[in-house]
Amino acid sequence: MNRFFQRTVGLVVIVVVLAAAALLWWGIAVTDPPQLWHPVEVSLAGVWQLFYSADLPNVGVMAVALALALLFVAFVVISERVVASRYRRAGAEVTELPLAPRVVMARTRGVFAGEVTVTVLIPAHNEEASLPHTLTSLQQQTRPPQRVIVVADNCTDGTVEVARQHGADVFETVGNTHKKGGALNQALADLLPTLGDNDTVMVMDADSQIGDGFLAAAAHRFAADRALMAVGGLFEGEEGHGLIGQFQRNEYIRYQREIRRRRGRVFVLTGTASVFRAVALREVAAARGEHLPGIPGEVYDTLALTEDNELTIAIKSLGGLTISPSECSVITELMPSWRMLWAQRLRWQRGALENLGAYGVTPQTMRYWAQQIGIGYGVLALFAYFSLLLIMILAMDTWVWFPFWVIIGLLFAVERVVTAWKGGWRARLVAVLVFPELVYDCFLNLAFLRGVFEIAFGRSATWKHVDHTTKTGARS
């Protein structure tokens, strides 16, 4: 990866976010100065005296802010739709992308490649505690996989014995120093040459369990659409881990809801459980080193911190279609402590930015650039909100209620509850309080900021493995 361009990604995000904030500041500064408040004192039941003001914020500023937000959303939605439909409509003779739908349909028309099969790869590094739950979830599938292979990578515990006791094949890596991506590359180099066009490979984590109908739904999707290259899972959090666990479950529930509203159009094929056509993985390996980052012949770019995000961009860059249908559910691990959560989110954010540095600005990465800049602007807005609250509390000796902002806050609370409703009463209780989740968002935003500044100043990234030995109880 070009290290200079990698650092530039962080700087671009910082500069664009600050420029947008400066533009908003300028817009406010050139408007007419706000009038002083005229709070009214009222008495509630004769026991509570309070002040309120019905003054509205500057209507012009609100209109401009709303218009800019709608313009930004429209740009993202339209650009994404244009990219998604581009390779569906372009003729096979005018596109060079090997996974573009028209190319795939033309190549496979009139050819029966056999029934759809599923081979499951489970990369595992000392996973003897969590692996039995994962293998059991595969055995309970309404459509069991043809084969399950546990990719044992530098294991020093009983992972290999546990895998064999549950009927899985074992592939032991040799001399791998590139963690999960390197282990999968070794296994796929051995597996892919034996698979045909209708054979698929599921890659799933050793600490995840898929829903009983996951593989049946994925196989149905592949059988119904020859151009579909990958089916990802919609993950939800496991039970347990107290308040920090509830924060993460609420976050994942809202992510599920967002993907359903997008009819399965997914940002990232989750590494917890996703199924790929073998032909897609072969094309990615063939394009490495020339059209895609990475070493020629390897499916996974071992320099990527977030291999699932990188592989998603790689497949999309070759014109491949992906989807995450609601039938494909997967229960994934949650971070049991704030320290582990920080490490996980820092790796996600840093990895996403590095992948943008590796791919640059292309039609396929526009959505990801917009997402990172949107997160950055959200970080600035949230911390500005808390700063203004603090300033008001310190500067005023009397609390003044503004009905306009109270209504906005109530609407926000309703949105929080509705979007987390599926999670049950605990999820709704955490959501309706609003501020606990805002503090959680601040924590995640700090991880984002750390990732941006690390990449901007060229600091080396780190990778931490979650110790699963303490998580057995959460699943039992």
Side-chain angles (χ1 to χ4, degrees):
M1 180 189 299
N2 186 313
R3 192 168 181 79
F4 172 76
F5 189 75
Q6 177 186 341
R7 294 183 61 177
T8 305
V9 173
L11 295 175
V12 167
V13 172
I14 293 172
V15 169
V16 172
V17 168
L18 291 179
L23 183 63
L24 180 59
W25 183 279
W26 174 81
I28 295 173
V30 298
T31 55
D32 294 332
Q35 297 179 348
L36 294 177
W37 301 328
H38 301 288
V40 176
E41 183 177 7
V42 296
S43 175
L44 294 179
V47 295
W48 188 20
Q49 304 296 322
L50 58 86
F51 289 87
Y52 82 92
S53 173
D55 293 339
L56 293 176
N58 187 289
V59 177
V61 172
M62 287 195 297
V64 171
L66 181 61
L68 288 175
L70 292 176
L71 185 64
F72 182 76
V73 171
F75 167 76
V76 172
V77 172
I78 293 173
S79 61
E80 189 177 31
R81 292 294 178 92
V82 169
V83 172
S85 61
R86 177 181 175 186
Y87 305 123
R88 290 181 184 273
R89 297 175 179 173
E93 71 285 357
V94 298
T95 179
E96 298 178 350
L97 302 177
L99 299 180
R102 293 295 292 270
V103 175
V104 174
M105 299 299 279
R107 187 176 67 234
T108 59
R109 183 171 293 116
V111 178
F112 179 63
E115 301 293 336
V116 173
T117 70
V118 181
T119 299
V120 180
L121 291 185
I122 305 175
H125 172 69
N126 291 342
E127 306 281 0
E128 67 171 351
S130 58
L131 189 58
H133 305 281
T134 303
L135 294 173
T136 299
S137 77
L138 289 171
Q139 294 167 351
Q140 294 173 344
Q141 289 292 296
T142 56
R143 185 192 189 284
Q146 273 65 34
R147 189 182 179 193
V148 177
I149 304 174
V150 173
V151 183
D153 181 39
N154 298 315
C155 292
T156 56
D157 65 353
T159 296
V160 172
E161 291 74 18
V162 167
R164 287 179 174 144
Q165 287 169 4
H166 285 77
D169 295 334
V170 176
F171 178 95
E172 295 190 66
T173 60
V174 178
N176 176 45
T177 58
H178 296 294
K179 301 184 174 65
K180 180 180 177 181
L184 287 170
N185 280 338
Q186 288 191 12
L188 289 167
D190 186 67
L191 176 66
L192 286 181
T194 68
L195 302 180
D197 281 356
N198 265 356
D199 296 324
T200 65
V201 179
M202 167 181 256
V203 178
M204 70 176 296
D205 286 344
D207 47 38
S208 301
Q209 298 94 51
I210 58 177
D212 293 347
F214 190 117
L215 293 185
H220 174 73
R221 294 274 180 166
F222 282 120
D225 186 355
R226 300 199 310 275
L228 183 63
M229 289 295 118
V231 175
L234 278 181
F235 52 84
E236 55 188 83
E238 63 185 358
E239 290 299 320
H241 308 306
L243 185 59
I244 188 175
Q246 193 60 58
F247 284 144
Q248 294 172 80
R249 281 190 290 277
N250 283 13
E251 180 187 6
Y252 293 166
I253 288 170
R254 293 189 177 104
Y255 179 74
Q256 280 190 345
R257 181 184 172 89
E258 182 179 359
I259 298 303
R260 288 194 181 98
R261 289 177 60 191
R262 290 165 51 84
R263 299 180 179 177
R265 294 193 303 275
V266 69
F267 308 114
V268 178
L269 294 165
T270 174
T272 53
S274 291
V275 190
F276 306 89
R277 279 193 192 274
V279 63
L281 299 180
R282 281 198 293 267
E283 291 292 351
V284 168
R288 294 282 185 203
E290 185 174 358
H291 301 296
L292 300 176
I295 299 175
E298 293 188 345
V299 174
Y300 285 90
D301 179 7
T302 54
L303 292 180
L305 271 177
T306 49
E307 68 284 337
D308 49 358
N309 176 266
E310 198 280 336
L311 185 58
T312 305
I313 299 176
I315 292 175
K316 289 183 176 180
S317 296
L318 296 180
L321 299 181
T322 64
I323 193 170
S324 288
S326 57
E327 312 94 277
C328 294
S329 64
V330 55
I331 298 175
T332 190
E333 65 171 352
L334 298 178
M335 294 300 102
S337 67
W338 292 101
R339 184 177 64 85
M340 294 307 303
L341 181 63
W342 175 266
Q344 179 199 55
R345 298 312 170 94
L346 181 58
R347 184 170 70 88
W348 287 2
Q349 295 294 350
R350 177 70 186 266
L353 291 167
E354 288 187 356
N355 290 335
L356 290 181
Y359 281 84
V361 181
T362 68
Q364 292 80 15
T365 60
M366 284 296 293
R367 179 65 176 79
Y368 298 89
W369 280 100
Q371 184 183 40
Q372 292 302 315
I373 291 171
I375 293 174
Y377 193 78
V379 170
L380 197 62
L382 185 58
F383 282 107
Y385 169 71
F386 278 118
S387 299
L388 285 174
L389 276 183
L390 181 62
I391 291 172
M392 288 185 63
I393 291 173
L394 295 177
M396 299 178 64
D397 55 4
T398 301
W399 187 269
V400 181
W401 295 88
F402 291 84
F404 174 83
W405 291 112
V406 170
I407 293 173
I408 294 294
L410 291 175
L411 290 176
F412 190 62
V414 170
E415 185 271 342
R416 295 279 86 188
V417 173
V418 170
T419 54
W421 191 266
K422 179 186 171 185
W425 69 269
R426 291 187 181 87
R428 299 164 202 163
L429 178 60
V430 170
V432 77
L433 297 176
V434 176
F435 275 93
E437 287 196 318
L438 285 180
V439 173
Y440 174 71
D441 288 341
C442 283
F443 180 84
L444 302 185
N445 289 340
L446 287 173
F448 171 81
L449 286 178
R450 175 72 180 271
V452 169
F453 282 102
E454 275 194 354
I455 198 170
F457 291 98
R459 293 180 181 174
S460 299
T462 57
W463 193 95
K464 292 183 178 180
H465 181 76
V466 178
D467 180 9
H468 295 123
T469 57
T470 60
K471 297 171 71 57
T472 308
R475 292 186 172 87
S476 59

